[in-house]
Amino acid sequence: MVETAPTRHLGAQISHMLKARGVDVIFGIPGVHNIEMYRGVEEAGIIHVLARHEQGAGFMADGYARASGKPGVAYVITGPGLCNIMTPMGQAYSDSVPLLVLSSCLDETVARRGQLHQMIDQAGAAACVCDWSFEARTPGAAFALIDRALTEFVSQRPRPKHLQIPIGLLGADAEACWDDLYLPGYARPLPIPEQVETAAEALKAARRPLFVFGGGACGAVQAARDVLRLSRASSFCTYAGRGIVAADDTLYFGAYLARPDSAAIFAQADLVLQVGTDMAEVDLWRDALGHTCETIHVNLDAEVLARGKGTDQRIHADSLEFLKALGGRLKDHVPQTTWFEEDVAKTRARWRAEVESERPGILPVLDALRDITPPETMIYSDMTQIAYTALETWPMDWPGHWHHPYGFGTLGYAVPAAIGGAVARPGLPTLAIAGDYGFQYTLQELGTAVELGLPLPIVVWDNAKLKEIEDAMVRAQIAPNAVVAQNPDFCALARAYGAHATLPGTLDEMRMAVRAAFEADRPTLIHVRPGLA
């Protein structure tokens, strides 16, 4: 048990409590309204990472959570501090990231107007972009709500939480009464054996079974691969699920779900199993998969299960536990599926060619990047055409190593999230990929990366415009406008922050620059323009 003083200011008690719960790093920015939260940070032995903007702090905490598997925690001030981190909260909500935001709040907002950082309904504003947003009005409530958040992160679908604490309460003495609250050992739901048996029998009887694995199945790699081997089923992965299926699996269709004619593949299936996926708009970009056969849904989220058709089988369970149980019922099965490896290979090759024709010049850059990127690299990308191309074509060795702002789709994610990821995995490679426009949303976080001495390659893809938006305007027969902006000298800007920077003129120079950046003593901006050869 961690020794605690009988009383401390509540702000200090919270830091000690978080440390006792396994929180080692907090991202944030101190201000006059939340300085009491900082009283106990160093004393508790927590590392604090100072962001340049609360949006950056939120993305850093998000990236840290995705890389470490632990909750990302951020401290922000009342009013604008919380508003600034709401975009990362929305992103964490759409991507199921365990993010805990702790903010201060005014002691009273009804009778007094004109106070510093005042909002009409601060908790209500945050509630729009997270799982829950509450105000703790006693020390006991603050401790209980922190434990509730940490418990829900591991026992159900992880989504961001916000807890606000009045300024006066943060500075008041509080007893260390949080030791007896925490009840570890919560587990996610196990599948009902009868449902597993029914699914196994359906899979054994199927001749063209087809799996779709989503981000919710990232912790079930070996179990998923065992089931595919034992059943000889074909499969797709969503963007978030890439790496669950081995890239060289000869019956794997890849992450090409959004190809319009993937619907024709699903139309051939006689059983579809959707494991750990919402099948959201950003996974599919059409209204339906294209199948008419029996469907089995496996998910932690009852809301997702409720979307199934009346005849679908819906299994409320952890993906790993379901796939392990399913594999156990297939060990003596002799599969007689009729998927053909050569057909799968031809389909994947055709889809890759389509991607190359839609966004010419990007695939050679990505192939060159992958050549020199260690397989254990954690990659963070932004909303940019080079990332959209990679999400379909870059084969992953294992899941949870490419992170992208999939659902909320915010710009400015890659660099601060990569900083959080690098903090979570010292000594292991991390790579950021951003577009020229999105990079400028959070480029100030270069200062944080330099302060931390992170060997972080930051590839900035500079096509000198909002190319995806321009292409969309052309398709909609709108004369392109407001898609070109004056870019700065990115290399000079990076050097002004103290980072390394380079403008490669060839693919070989880019390879050398990225390789050197992984070994550098600070971040390196690698300014990449189209046309490299």
Side-chain angles (χ1 to χ4, degrees):
M1 180 179 293
V2 177
E3 292 185 5
T4 58
T7 59
R8 284 191 181 93
H9 287 194
L10 176 59
Q13 290 285 20
I14 288 172
S15 291
H16 280 269
M17 177 187 184
L18 289 170
K19 178 65 175 179
R21 302 295 192 256
V23 174
D24 298 312
V25 182
I26 291 172
F27 303 87
I29 301 176
V32 293
H33 276 188
N34 72 345
I35 55 174
E36 285 295 341
M37 296 164 67
Y38 284 79
R39 185 182 294 275
V41 170
E42 290 188 6
E43 183 185 70
I46 291 176
I47 296 170
H48 182 273
V49 176
L50 177 64
R52 297 303 188 267
H53 188 281
E54 287 89 358
Q55 186 177 50
F59 288 145
M60 289 177 199
D62 173 299
Y64 177 90
R66 298 193 200 207
S68 67
K70 300 167 64 175
V73 180
Y75 281 178
V76 298
I77 62 163
T78 319
L82 180 64
C83 287
N84 286 340
I85 205 171
M86 282 172 62
T87 295
M89 290 166 70
Q91 190 61 62
Y93 185 90
S94 67
D95 289 352
S96 302
V97 177
L99 173 63
L100 176 59
V101 174
L102 296 168
S103 78
S104 54
C105 66
L106 295 172
D107 296 322
E108 194 283 318
T109 59
V110 177
R112 295 181 60 195
R113 297 296 183 189
Q115 299 178 78
L116 179 66
H117 302 331
Q118 188 164 10
M119 293 178 67
I120 294 172
D121 184 359
Q122 179 174 291
C128 296
V129 287
C130 64
D131 190 32
W132 52 253
S133 173
F134 297 134
E135 179 177 333
R137 298 177 183 174
T138 66
F143 302 147
L145 286 168
I146 289 170
D147 268 345
R148 173 178 169 180
L150 298 177
T151 300
E152 290 176 356
F153 287 151
V154 298
S155 62
Q156 59 191 44
R157 183 174 186 166
R159 276 179 158 155
K161 329 284 185 182
H162 166 242
L163 173 62
Q164 66 181 33
I165 305 165
I167 297 166
L169 185 61
L170 283 170
D173 284 344
E175 294 183 2
C177 61
W178 42 266
D179 257 351
D180 298 329
L181 289 174
Y182 195 51
L183 299 174
Y186 282 91
R188 293 178 176 178
L190 298 175
I192 298 171
E194 290 79 8
Q195 289 184 319
V196 177
E197 187 62 38
T198 300
E201 292 305 312
L203 187 55
K204 290 176 182 178
R207 293 297 172 263
R208 290 218 158 191
L210 186 53
F211 278 84
V212 181
F213 295 105
C218 282
V221 178
Q222 192 56 56
R225 295 180 182 184
D226 288 345
V227 166
L228 291 175
R229 174 178 52 82
L230 292 167
S231 66
R232 280 195 55 78
S234 285
S235 62
F236 283 83
C237 285
T238 67
Y239 299 142
R242 289 181 304 147
I244 294 173
V245 182
D248 60 357
D249 185 322
T250 54
L251 293 179
Y252 174 46
F253 282 102
Y256 292 104
L257 279 169
R259 294 286 109 193
D261 64 339
S262 72
I265 303 298
F266 283 92
Q268 300 174 38
D270 56 2
L271 176 68
V272 171
L273 299 95
Q274 299 180 24
V275 183
T277 174
D278 292 7
M279 279 288 94
E281 178 187 48
V282 293
D283 295 319
L284 199 57
W285 296 111
R286 61 177 184 271
D287 293 333
L289 274 174
H291 65 297
T292 58
C293 61
E294 178 184 358
T295 307
I296 298 172
H297 305 268
V298 182
N299 210 291
L300 284 175
D301 194 333
E303 179 183 341
V304 174
L305 295 175
R307 297 180 200 149
K309 298 177 182 178
T311 56
D312 292 351
Q313 184 181 173
R314 307 167 210 194
I315 300 175
H316 184 228
D318 177 74
S319 296
L320 172 60
E321 297 301 329
F322 169 77
L323 290 169
K324 284 167 54 179
L326 181 63
R329 287 164 171 79
L330 297 175
K331 288 183 178 177
D332 297 325
H333 173 57
V334 179
Q336 297 181 16
T337 58
T338 58
W339 294 110
F340 297 105
E341 296 175 353
E342 57 269 27
D343 292 341
V344 175
K346 288 178 182 177
T347 301
R348 289 186 63 172
R350 183 179 78 251
W351 284 337
R352 179 182 164 91
E354 287 178 5
V355 173
E356 187 167 22
S357 67
E358 291 167 2
R359 298 191 177 104
I362 295 179
L363 272 177
V365 175
L366 288 173
D367 290 343
L369 269 177
R370 192 170 190 272
D371 285 346
I372 47 82
T373 300
E376 68 273 21
T377 303
M378 193 75 77
I379 302 172
Y380 293 83
S381 59
D382 219 312
M383 300 294 285
T384 173
Q385 284 195 330
I386 191 171
Y388 306 151
T389 304
L391 292 177
E392 290 192 283
T393 62
W394 186 299
M396 299 298 296
D397 295 295
W398 50 72
H401 278 66
W402 190 300
H403 304 291
H404 184 78
Y406 298 104
F408 210 42
T410 177
L411 287 165
Y413 173 80
V415 171
I419 291 170
V423 169
R425 303 166 71 243
L428 293 173
T430 304
L431 170 68
I433 299 176
D436 56 306
Y437 201 84
F439 172 65
Q440 295 180 72
Y441 272 52
T442 51
L443 63 84
Q444 67 274 9
E445 304 306 341
L446 275 171
T448 300
V450 170
E451 284 179 350
L452 295 172
L454 299 177
L456 176 65
I458 302 170
V459 175
V460 176
W461 172 253
D462 180 10
N463 54 20
K465 60 177 64 177
L466 291 164
K467 188 66 170 65
E468 188 74 4
I469 308 307
E470 181 183 68
D471 291 348
M473 286 179 168
V474 171
R475 288 194 298 269
Q477 297 185 338
I478 298 170
N481 62 86
V483 294
V484 178
Q486 176 66 44
N487 279 338
D489 182 331
F490 288 116
C491 288
L493 191 60
R495 293 188 187 105
Y497 275 100
H500 299 304
T502 183
L503 177 64
T506 66
L507 289 177
D508 281 341
E509 289 180 2
M510 185 193 71
R511 289 187 187 96
M512 289 188 290
V514 174
R515 187 179 292 113
F518 281 125
E519 303 297 329
D521 61 347
R522 66 191 75 176
T524 304
L525 187 143
I526 302 162
H527 185 183
V528 178
R529 290 172 173 160
L532 295 187

